[in-house]
């Protein structure tokens, strides 16, 4: 907590923590952390009202990701280089989730694209250790633009349950976002003199 709180404000007011945005009613709606530290964060701490989660190089207490316990209001989720590993179940994601980036972790096993949230737009699993991707073409969300599974070492195997060929939106290619901040719908952070990322005080979620 000491890495996140602003020394000039009440440490118990999480809305004043670096990278945290709140609604006008004081409910946390967005968290954007870049914390290169030996200290660990905890995904289970994230309130259910949170819509945007964007973590980079942020080590987590629980290195296995239980998608069933993610905030139900979540729409944008990026957990990049967070040391996550093990299996991950995309069939229990929050129903409003639109974009999911779990690149540069160490997830293993099979990924099932058979019961994704209806509004899902993009999935990125770049550089994990996925062994198999199971796809049901008829159950892919209509607005999905791409699901990316590029791996530099062992390539994942792809299996389609309802057709001879997998939908072209499921790819082995690398996804390269043009502008990360704009792409995720987040305000561009301001870098304080002590190196942590925060948002302008006026940037509040509506």
């Amino acid at each position: 907590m000491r890495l996140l709180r602003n020394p000039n404000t009440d440490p118990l007011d999480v809305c004043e923590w670096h990278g945290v945005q709140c609604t006008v009613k004081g409910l946390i709606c967005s968290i954007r952390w870049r914390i290169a530290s030996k200290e660990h964060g905890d995904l289970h701490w994230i309130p259910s009202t949170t819509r945007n989660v964007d973590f980079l190089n942020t080590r987590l207490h629980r290195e296995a990701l239980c998608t069933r316990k993610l905030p139900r209001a979540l729409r944008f989720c990026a957990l990049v280089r967070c040391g996550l590993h093990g299996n991950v179940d995309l069939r229990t994601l929050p129903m409003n989730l639109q974009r999911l980036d779990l690149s540069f972790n160490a997830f293993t096993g099979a990924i099932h694209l058979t019961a994704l949230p209806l509004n899902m737009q993009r999935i990125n699993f770049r550089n994990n250790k996925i062994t198999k991707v199971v796809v049901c073409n008829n159950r892919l969300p209509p607005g999905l633009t791409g699901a990316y599974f590029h791996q530099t070492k062992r390539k994942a195997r792809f299996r389609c349950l309802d057709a001879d060929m997998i939908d072209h939106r499921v790819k082995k290619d690398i996804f390269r976002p043009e502008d990360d901040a704009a792409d995720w719908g987040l305000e561009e952070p301001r870098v304080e003199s002590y190196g942590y990322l925060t948002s302008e005080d006026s940037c509040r979620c509506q």
Side-chain angles (χ1 to χ4, degrees), residues 26 52 107 168 175:
N52 301 332
F107 289 113
H168 69 280
F175 171 72

Side-chain angles (χ1 to χ4, degrees), residues 2-4 18 34-35 190-198:
R2 64 182 178 81
L3 293 174
L4 303 172
H18 305 305
R34 306 289 191 267
I35 306 173
R190 171 167 51 90
V191 180
E192 298 285 5
S193 59
Y194 35 81
Y196 301 121
L197 294 177
T198 184

Side-chain angles (χ1 to χ4, degrees), residues 6-162:
N6 189 325
N8 299 319
T9 60
D10 181 357
L12 297 181
D13 184 0
V14 294
C15 292
E16 297 297 333
W17 288 12
H18 305 305
V20 175
Q21 292 184 17
C22 294
T23 67
V24 293
K25 295 182 179 180
L27 300 176
I28 293 176
C29 62
S30 179
I31 304 175
R32 194 174 201 229
W33 285 343
R34 306 289 191 267
I35 306 173
S37 170
K38 294 181 179 179
E39 297 191 18
H40 290 63
D42 192 343
L43 281 175
H44 291 181
W45 168 85
I46 300 176
S48 61
T49 57
T50 308
R51 297 199 302 263
N52 301 332
V53 170
D54 185 6
F55 290 0
L56 174 65
N57 292 328
T58 304
R59 293 291 171 175
L60 301 171
H61 279 301
R62 297 171 178 83
E63 296 176 341
L65 177 61
C66 180
T67 56
R68 192 183 300 275
K69 294 184 179 180
L70 289 173
R72 293 296 95 185
L74 201 60
R75 296 184 181 181
F76 306 97
C77 181
L79 303 172
V80 180
R81 299 186 190 275
C82 290
L84 297 168
H85 59 74
N87 296 327
V88 57
D89 191 353
L90 302 192
R91 294 167 292 189
T92 55
L93 290 168
M95 63 180 299
N96 293 317
L97 192 64
Q98 298 176 24
R99 299 184 187 179
L100 177 67
D101 189 345
L102 299 177
S103 54
F104 295 97
N105 285 290
F107 289 113
T108 57
I111 297 296
H112 290 81
L113 304 182
T114 56
L116 295 172
L118 182 62
N119 295 321
M120 181 66 76
Q121 298 174 6
R122 187 171 63 245
I123 297 171
N124 189 7
F125 267 90
R126 179 181 177 184
N127 278 18
N128 279 273
K129 299 178 181 179
I130 303 302
T131 55
K132 182 167 66 174
V133 179
V134 180
V135 183
C136 186
N137 287 348
N138 289 331
R139 293 187 177 181
L140 291 176
L144 184 71
T145 59
Y148 299 85
F149 294 91
H150 180 269
Q151 296 182 165
T152 54
K153 295 183 179 180
R154 183 177 179 179
K155 306 298 182 182
R157 294 180 291 112
F158 290 77
R159 179 189 176 194
C160 186
L161 299 179
D162 59 350

